[in-house]
Amino acid sequence: MDVVLEARNVTKQYPQQLALDNLNLTVHQGDIYGLVGRNGAGKTTLLKTLLQLIAPTAGTVTLFGEPVDQAHIAMLRRVGSIIETPSAFGELTALENMRYFCLAQGIVTPHAAEDSLQFVGLTGTGKKKVKNFSLGMKQKLGLALAILKKPDLLLLDEPINGLDPIAIADFRQLLLKLNREQNTTILISSHILDELFHLATRFGFIDQGRMVRELTKDEFVAETAQYIRIETSDMPALTRALTNAQVAHFKVVASKELHVFDEKRSISALNQALVSAGVPVTGISQEGQNLEDYFKMLLSDTHQEVRQNA
Ligand SMILES: Nc1ncnc2c1ncn2[C@@H]1O[C@H](COP(=O)(O)OP(=O)(O)OP(=O)(O)O)[C@@H](O)[C@H]1O
């Protein structure tokens, strides 16, 4: 799969603060890449660096296979972004803003302003000035502005921060539509993993300016999967009973240990079914991690590593 965006050993040293520390990141064509990190982890600094809004102290950024430097700044035309708050003018309406930015960016495609507004569902706002928009509407307008140029890559810094659950779901649907219908590759940051989980196809976890872990959604699901762990002295009887009970997904992991991956089974119902079938169950427990626990586990691992290296 083509690599659209790559950061290699990117470091950003502010006078008092190491904001990015030898950070690596790879975004492939078609990804929705979820960049997850706590407040102050370095997400905004990274996105600004990727967009050449600030210069890294060291390291390289490659966009569409070419190094991003002054000579290749034209490549940034293929990138749309929302960094911090969207840049719309409060005294103008949504359409006036869109037309202004079309002029400013030299976009002459007929109906580009109207089409982008329609895409995000903001056509009915008429004479309402942007300063009177809800946060959800402002974020949608920010997205409409970011996609005006029909970018191949979209970088979004915490765009769902502060939105209510319905506005978050709405925004998520828009991003999925962009990704599926227009094949836009998206990098989106958040400090709330739950918000990105249903959207992203790939994840990067950042902490203290370092990339702690990059993994695909499938790898992530496998690592955090919930399962029921069963111990028995009679494995053939256990597998027979599970098959009879139409439990489709289970895995024998040791001679006396088996894992059941089936979200619909409660541990007590399963235990009762096994006991009724005469299976000698010597232990049964719910295992696996929720998303935030997984995130905390990654962070505590890095903190330990940092302490060991100190
Ligand atoms: N211009 C700057 N000068 C000095 N330090 C800075 C500057 N910008 C960011 N920092 C510091 O760099 C670190 C990373 O900040 P950054 O804003 O990138 O984090 P973040 O993950 O986006 O956080 P948040 O979720 O709170 O927006 C922080 O410690 C911050 O204080």
Side-chain angles (χ1 to χ4, degrees):
M1 209 191 281
D2 289 348
V3 173
V4 168
L5 174 63
E6 194 170 32
R8 281 288 154 258
N9 302 315
V10 168
T11 294
K12 180 67 190 178
Q13 174 75 63
Y14 287 114
Q16 309 289 332
Q17 178 76 36
L18 181 61
L20 299 175
D21 182 5
N22 259 297
L23 186 139
N24 292 313
L25 163 143
T26 309
V27 180
H28 294 92
Q29 159 87 48
D31 276 350
I32 300 182
Y33 186 108
L35 181 69
V36 190
R38 295 189 298 194
N39 292 130
K43 302 179 296 297
T44 305
T45 307
L46 176 59
L47 266 65
K48 284 183 175 170
T49 308
L50 297 175
L51 283 164
Q52 301 290 295
L53 295 173
I54 54 177
T57 313
T60 54
V61 175
T62 312
L63 251 183
F64 309 109
E66 306 266 358
V68 181
D69 52 32
Q70 289 307 313
H72 292 93
I73 216 84
M75 276 183 309
L76 289 172
R77 288 187 179 280
R78 295 174 62 188
V79 184
S81 62
I82 305 181
I83 302 291
E84 292 166 343
T85 46
S87 47
F89 297 104
E91 288 300 327
L92 300 184
T93 67
L95 190 57
E96 285 165 351
N97 263 289
M98 298 299 289
R99 287 188 174 147
Y100 170 83
F101 281 98
C102 277
L103 279 175
Q105 295 177 21
I107 295 167
V108 291
T109 322
H111 312 301
E114 291 83 352
D115 289 351
S116 283
L117 279 184
Q118 182 152 23
F119 187 89
V120 301
L122 267 189
T123 43
T125 57
K127 291 188 175 149
K128 193 171 195 163
K129 290 181 179 177
V130 167
K131 66 177 183 190
N132 298 322
F133 278 16
S134 68
L135 186 59
M137 289 163 76
K138 283 184 183 154
Q139 292 304 79
K140 281 185 179 178
L141 180 60
L143 185 62
L145 291 170
I147 61 173
L148 256 180
K149 292 178 287 183
K150 300 221 176 302
D152 296 313
L153 173 66
L154 202 50
L155 302 188
L156 307 172
D157 189 23
E158 308 230 22
I160 45 188
N161 219 355
L163 298 187
D164 65 56
I166 293 172
I168 290 177
D170 241 23
F171 202 82
R172 195 187 287 143
Q173 285 309 317
L174 283 176
L175 297 184
L176 284 171
K177 197 163 115 183
L178 258 182
N179 177 254
R180 287 174 189 158
E181 292 177 9
Q182 303 191 10
N183 203 20
T184 313
T185 303
I186 298 172
L187 189 162
I188 173 170
S189 75
S190 178
H191 60 279
I192 303 170
L193 176 54
D194 271 347
E195 287 176 356
L196 295 185
F197 184 73
H198 298 291
L199 181 65
T201 54
R202 198 173 154 79
F203 296 87
F205 291 89
I206 173 175
D207 186 42
Q208 298 182 351
R210 298 166 71 185
M211 183 59 78
V212 179
R213 185 88 199 269
E214 275 188 307
L215 73 179
T216 65
K217 172 84 176 264
D218 286 349
E219 288 167 335
F220 189 20
V221 167
E223 287 196 19
T224 55
Q226 299 284 332
Y227 61 90
I228 297 172
R229 176 176 176 274
I230 305 172
E231 284 178 46
T232 181
S233 52
D234 188 348
M235 190 56 79
L238 175 57
T239 55
R240 241 187 344 264
L242 290 175
T243 309
N244 289 342
Q246 295 181 329
V247 174
H249 303 290
F250 60 81
K251 188 173 174 188
V252 178
V253 294
S255 62
K256 293 183 176 175
E257 184 179 334
L258 177 148
H259 296 172
V260 171
F261 302 92
D262 188 340
E263 288 172 6
K264 293 188 288 294
R265 308 273 165 169
S266 79
I267 188 165
S268 57
L270 193 61
N271 193 28
Q272 209 166 8
L274 294 175
V275 171
S276 315
V279 179
V281 175
T282 51
I284 184 163
S285 54
Q286 184 81 48
E287 305 286 337
Q289 290 164 314
N290 71 31
L291 301 181
E292 295 304 330
D293 284 348
Y294 179 81
F295 188 22
K296 280 186 205 145
M297 186 262 307
L298 280 181
L299 299 191
S300 62
D301 280 0
T302 38
H303 291 156
Q304 212 161 342
E305 208 180 297
V306 170
R307 276 196 296 275
Q308 277 165 4
N309 292 339

